[in-house]
Amino acid sequence: MEPIHTHISRQYNTELEEIRSLVLQMGGLVEQQIEQAMIALVKGDVALGEAVIMDDTKVNKLEVTIDEECNQIIARRQPAASDLRLVVAVIKTITDLERIGDEAEKIARMAVRLAGEERPKNNYAEIQAMGQHVRQMVHDALDAFARVDVEAALRVAREDRKVDQKYEGVMRQLITYMMEDPRTISRVINVIWAARALERIGDHSRNICEYIIYFVKGRDVRHTSLEQIEKEIMGRGPG
């Protein structure tokens, strides 16, 4: 991780670095959940799907732990300026990571259901590429968080549009399958839910990138277009 602000109190520095480290630990867990949920889906691996579902409790516990650490820092240290923004960004980030974990759990549940269905010839190729894309997006968002890199955060945020385009393409393809062969309806509906979960993971990854920009630049850029963010934010700090 890139070092952040230093303080006279070594303990304060340690506390701030600890919460950042825990965020990355939590991020690593949800990345693993996405990867394993997609493997379970593609391979029809019920045991792996169930393991992902069970692992969601680990993600939830980390969220509670980090949230408590942040609350204690606010109470004890009364952080100001960028320190306060860091704590707020962490609280927001772990909420989105927890939701990414929830979406990965949904994919795992779909994987368990689909394991009992007849497997398609293309082995769910329509969402494999989408799954790889969003997992990379989560990884890159966490990397931008670790390096406190606004430009990297913006690059990752741009990827959300590509994920949305892939989602629309997948949906068209799946609807065509159902129209051409009504026997596929049950299977395809479960795949649609998995694709929707992947699209939501892309949204949450973009949110994390927006929190990085908030921490570094001091501006809340939620509900702001990428073009506007690049025009107004890049190259100008909060002072």
Side-chain angles (χ1 to χ4, degrees), residues 72-123:
Q72 286 176 18
I73 287 173
I74 290 169
R76 285 199 309 266
R77 304 293 185 182
Q78 297 180 331
S82 61
D83 291 339
L84 181 58
R85 291 201 306 273
L86 170 62
V87 176
V88 170
V90 164
I91 291 169
K92 290 177 179 291
T93 295
I94 61 173
T95 299
D96 276 278
L97 286 175
E98 190 274 333
R99 287 174 181 166
I100 289 172
D102 287 347
E103 298 300 337
E105 183 190 0
K106 287 178 192 173
I107 296 167
R109 290 187 185 280
M110 295 307 111
V112 171
R113 288 185 195 174
L114 286 162
E117 302 260 354
E118 183 182 349
R119 303 193 65 70
K121 290 178 183 177
N122 71 354
N123 209 23

Side-chain angles (χ1 to χ4, degrees), residues 173-186:
Q173 196 173 7
L174 293 172
I175 289 166
T176 301
Y177 290 158
M178 288 192 290
M179 290 171 67
E180 289 177 350
D181 185 357
R183 291 173 300 176
T184 65
I185 288 174
S186 173

Side-chain angles (χ1 to χ4, degrees), residues 102-225:
D102 287 347
E103 298 300 337
E105 183 190 0
K106 287 178 192 173
I107 296 167
R109 290 187 185 280
M110 295 307 111
V112 171
R113 288 185 195 174
L114 286 162
E117 302 260 354
E118 183 182 349
R119 303 193 65 70
K121 290 178 183 177
N122 71 354
N123 209 23
Y124 303 111
E126 62 270 356
I127 65 168
Q128 283 193 58
M130 190 178 171
Q132 289 169 356
H133 196 149
V134 299
R135 187 167 69 86
Q136 189 65 47
M137 199 174 164
V138 172
H139 178 84
D140 291 345
L142 290 164
D143 187 58
F145 177 90
R147 293 188 289 110
V148 198
D149 189 333
V150 172
E151 289 190 8
L154 272 169
R155 283 197 300 273
V156 178
R158 286 191 209 105
E159 292 297 311
D160 190 38
R161 287 180 180 171
K162 295 178 186 175
V163 170
D164 290 344
Q165 288 167 357
K166 282 185 178 176
Y167 174 67
E168 288 168 8
V170 165
M171 289 297 289
R172 284 194 296 271
Q173 196 173 7
L174 293 172
I175 289 166
T176 301
Y177 290 158
M178 288 192 290
M179 290 171 67
E180 289 177 350
D181 185 357
R183 291 173 300 176
T184 65
I185 288 174
S186 173
R187 170 171 60 80
V188 170
I189 286 173
N190 284 316
V191 178
I192 284 172
W193 280 114
R196 175 59 177 160
L198 289 171
E199 190 270 338
R200 292 293 298 138
I201 290 171
D203 291 343
H204 291 304
S205 300
R206 173 179 164 141
N207 290 349
I208 291 168
C209 293
E210 290 174 350
Y211 307 145
I212 296 165
I213 295 166
Y214 163 74
F215 164 48
V216 177
K217 297 291 183 179
R219 281 281 304 278
D220 187 341
V221 295
R222 290 175 297 174
H223 316 299
T224 306
S225 71

Side-chain angles (χ1 to χ4, degrees), residues 154 157-158 161 206 221 223-234:
L154 272 169
R158 286 191 209 105
R161 287 180 180 171
R206 173 179 164 141
V221 295
H223 316 299
T224 306
S225 71
L226 285 171
E227 290 79 11
Q228 195 174 342
I229 293 169
E230 288 170 349
K231 182 180 177 182
E232 295 182 5
I233 303 298
M234 289 307 295

